[in-house]
Amino acid sequence: MTMTRKIEKFRSDLREFAAFSRSFGKDEDGMVTMFACLMIFCMLMISGIGYDMMRHEMERTRIQAVADRAVLAAADLDQTLTPQAVVQDYFDKSGMGDFVSNVEVNQGLNFRSVKVNAETTMNTAFMDYLGVETLRVPAVSAAEEKVNKVEISLVLDISGSMKNNGKMDNLKAAASTFVDTVLDPANENLISVSMIPYSEHVNAGPLIYNQLNMQGRHNYSHCVEFPDDEFGSVVLDTARTYQQMQHFQWNTFSNEAPGVRNTRYDTVCPRNAYERIVPTSQDPDQLKSQIELFKPRAGTSIFLGMKWGAAMLDPSFRPLNNTMASQGFVDANFATRPAAYSDEETMKTIILMTDGQNDRSWRIQNRYYNSNSEVVHWARNNLSQWLWWNVNSAYHGNFYYQKYTAAQGDGLLDSICDAAKEKNIIIWSIGFEVTDHGANVMRQCASSPSHFFRVEGVEIEEAFTSIARQINKLRLTQ
């Protein structure tokens, strides 16, 4: 028996019962039985009302689901159709084209909000006995996509292991896609990207280096040595005097005659212009052209890359940024960045990528690096090779010391990641073909497990793309 026939039969039974009750009521001998019949009648009516309300809720839920999907699609800033057309299309294809009563759209440079009111009426099956022949079925839904002001630190591993398995090419493609996505023209003057390439150290570049209080030793490169206690804070202490990193190479040497293969391309401090930090940019071509020049080099100090990434989002970096803007090296629209942490309009985020894990790193003993002639000597000679040919191996250890161990690097990374999280900086981390240890370290740094990506090969581009899309938040607001 169909639902319609069941309803008709139920209604017929109710009519017969009502007629019976009227005739039975005239007989005073059946008062108790009459009361029982009345109670049964009430129970049947309550059941009928419940049935009508259930149908009403099912219909409301169906319309609400279509409305939610419609406004999410219509609010998408990448949507080329008008919001009204998108909403109407969703309802038309669901067979509810006549239900749309109103579509409200509000949009500006960096946002679009869409609200839809939809409504229909439903005939009741049982409540019409109570004089309610129809029920109104409304649905209201709203969504907004808003690109807030966003400050991004893009911290990229360019260490020597990136030469394996085409990893550097995959990184270049992924990072370039990320830059194009977040620096879409629609986001002009809203999103800034600071790019921090790192390997065994970070080349701050002369624009940043020359604004710090530095105890300088040479002009070969521009790396800053941070004391361990500074990894517990995101602040760049512009009142502090920092030591300049020594300029030398200690690894990758040949035991051929001195001068034959005196390798110095893997100096601990990166020295090439394309290895420098790019501060506060919204120029995708500038960033991508530098990314394209990346070459694998030296060891891995993730904690140093992360320290710079966090510091460049802290308001303590603002005076440096303002100076670079006044000199034309930073877009004038970003002269007052980084914003205060209390600025609700600005989101700060770090994307930290590595293909390995923190490694050891060495320094020359100060007694062999305390004169101009010694500085020049080590800039011209690979430390390991020079010692091989000129010093008895028993005395090699007198010339250098281990500045960082791998475990020490992990601890410093934990400290700076925790400090950034305390400032509500969102940390995305990407472990690119890493070991389990490397994955655990990067997962620990991320804002949450869902902010960590462990990827292989071309999957790295998917990770960067996913992060870029999530920076542009799309959410239901009603």
Side-chain angles (χ1 to χ4, degrees):
M1 182 181 298
T2 65
M3 180 59 70
T4 301
R5 292 182 61 189
K6 288 180 179 179
I7 293 172
E8 289 301 321
K9 184 177 186 305
F10 186 75
R11 297 179 68 177
S12 175
D13 291 343
L14 281 177
R15 286 193 292 269
E16 292 178 4
F17 183 80
F20 169 77
S21 297
R22 286 192 294 270
S23 63
F24 189 79
K26 297 176 182 178
D27 186 352
E28 295 181 357
D29 294 336
M31 292 301 294
V32 175
T33 306
M34 179 61 188
F35 178 76
C37 293
L38 181 62
M39 293 300 295
I40 294 172
F41 178 77
C42 290
M43 291 172 63
L44 290 172
M45 284 302 299
I46 291 172
S47 298
I49 292 171
Y51 174 76
D52 279 337
M53 295 307 296
M54 180 183 67
R55 290 175 55 229
H56 177 273
E57 181 59 21
M58 290 176 62
E59 182 69 359
R60 189 202 65 79
T61 301
R62 188 171 71 98
I63 300 173
Q64 188 67 51
V66 176
D68 288 346
R69 292 195 298 270
V71 294
L72 283 171
D76 188 349
L77 288 171
D78 293 327
Q79 178 62 254
T80 57
L81 299 175
T82 66
Q84 293 87 346
V86 173
V87 170
Q88 192 62 56
D89 184 61
Y90 266 78
F91 276 86
D92 287 343
K93 289 180 178 177
S94 300
M96 304 178 186
D98 296 334
F99 292 7
V100 179
S101 58
N102 186 46
V103 178
E104 297 178 15
V105 180
N106 186 24
Q107 66 183 82
L109 176 65
N110 66 325
F111 75 97
R112 178 188 293 159
S113 62
V114 180
K115 180 179 180 181
V116 62
N117 294 86
E119 182 179 322
T120 188
T121 57
M122 182 193 79
N123 293 326
T124 60
F126 302 103
M127 292 174 66
D128 58 345
Y129 283 102
L130 302 177
V132 182
E133 297 182 355
T134 61
L135 290 174
R136 176 175 168 268
V137 188
V140 179
S141 186
E144 178 184 59
E145 182 173 21
K146 183 174 183 179
V147 180
N148 293 312
K149 297 175 183 177
V150 183
E151 297 171 359
I152 300 172
S153 284
L154 185 59
V155 187
L156 303 176
D157 185 346
I158 59 169
S159 62
S161 57
M162 286 292 292
K163 68 178 179 293
N164 302 321
N165 302 327
K167 286 190 285 188
M168 182 57 80
D169 288 338
N170 287 330
L171 170 63
K172 289 178 179 180
S176 295
T177 297
F178 176 86
V179 167
D180 278 334
T181 303
V182 297
L183 294 181
D184 185 278
N187 298 334
E188 186 177 4
N189 299 333
L190 296 171
I191 296 181
S192 61
V193 176
S194 295
M195 185 168 68
I196 301 96
Y198 74 93
S199 49
E200 194 167 343
H201 221 296
V202 176
N203 183 351
L207 294 177
I208 296 173
Y209 177 92
N210 290 337
Q211 295 190 67
L212 299 175
N213 294 320
M214 297 297 306
Q215 186 175 348
R217 302 182 178 187
H218 57 80
N219 295 317
Y220 297 115
S221 53
H222 303 90
C223 291
V224 180
E225 295 278 48
F226 290 108
D228 286 2
D229 62 0
E230 287 224 356
F231 289 87
S233 170
V234 296
V235 172
L236 183 63
D237 190 350
T238 54
R240 189 167 195 165
T241 298
Y242 293 101
Q243 295 286 331
Q244 183 183 21
M245 168 62 205
Q246 302 165 344
H247 189 80
F248 73 99
Q249 180 171 333
W250 65 273
N251 62 349
T252 315
F253 78 100
S254 168
N255 58 9
E256 297 179 25
V260 175
R261 288 185 59 191
N262 186 23
T263 53
R264 286 166 291 147
Y265 59 85
D266 258 0
T267 51
V268 177
C269 177
R271 70 198 186 285
N272 295 305
Y274 63 82
E275 295 166 327
R276 296 173 181 168
I277 289 174
V278 179
T280 323
S281 174
Q282 64 171 339
D283 184 345
D285 293 333
Q286 174 199 21
L287 293 163
K288 289 189 295 182
S289 64
Q290 183 161 332
I291 290 170
E292 191 57 36
L293 294 174
F294 286 167
K295 294 180 181 178
R297 63 169 315 281
T300 307
S301 297
I302 309 171
F303 58 97
L304 287 172
M306 182 63 187
K307 171 60 182 177
W308 274 108
M312 295 184 73
L313 297 179
D314 188 79
S316 60
F317 194 79
R318 191 184 304 154
L320 285 72
N321 208 46
N322 183 268
T323 298
M324 289 185 286
S326 67
Q327 296 170 344
F329 296 111
V330 166
D331 194 308
N333 291 289
F334 299 147
T336 58
R337 293 194 176 191
Y341 292 114
S342 58
D343 184 356
E344 296 181 356
E345 293 296 316
T346 302
M347 179 176 71
K348 298 172 184 282
T349 185
I350 297 172
I351 295 90
L352 175 65
M353 168 266 160
T354 188
D355 79 318
Q357 57 196 50
N358 287 303
D359 199 0
R360 60 182 181 170
S361 188
W362 304 85
R363 302 292 185 269
I364 297 173
Q365 292 284 2
N366 285 333
R367 60 179 175 271
Y368 295 110
Y369 205 89
N370 59 6
S371 68
N372 289 336
S373 60
E374 288 173 334
V375 170
V376 172
H377 171 80
W378 296 119
R380 293 177 176 176
N381 293 279
N382 181 298
L383 172 64
S384 300
Q385 185 167 8
W386 189 88
L387 293 177
W388 175 276
W389 283 104
N390 296 283
V391 179
N392 186 298
S393 60
Y395 299 102
H396 285 186
N398 294 335
F399 283 78
Y400 54 82
Y401 68 97
Q402 192 166 19
K403 172 73 171 176
Y404 296 113
T405 64
Q408 184 182 2
D410 289 349
L412 294 176
L413 179 61
D414 280 344
S415 294
I416 188 59
C417 291
D418 288 344
K421 292 173 192 175
E422 288 176 2
K423 295 297 184 180
N424 293 319
I425 295 173
I426 300 171
I427 305 173
W428 304 86
S429 65
I430 301 174
F432 185 28
E433 300 186 12
V434 293
T435 63
D436 288 344
H437 174 79
N440 290 334
V441 169
M442 294 295 280
R443 186 183 294 107
Q444 179 69 25
C445 180
S447 288
S448 74
S450 63
H451 286 79
F452 167 69
F453 294 81
R454 187 174 185 178
V455 295
E456 306 282 334
V458 296
E459 292 175 346
I460 190 173
E461 186 164 357
E462 297 175 11
F464 273 104
T465 300
S466 176
I467 294 170
R469 287 175 177 170
Q470 291 183 65
I471 288 175
N472 292 353
K473 294 181 180 179
L474 181 62
R475 58 190 177 90
L476 280 174
T477 59
Q478 184 171 336

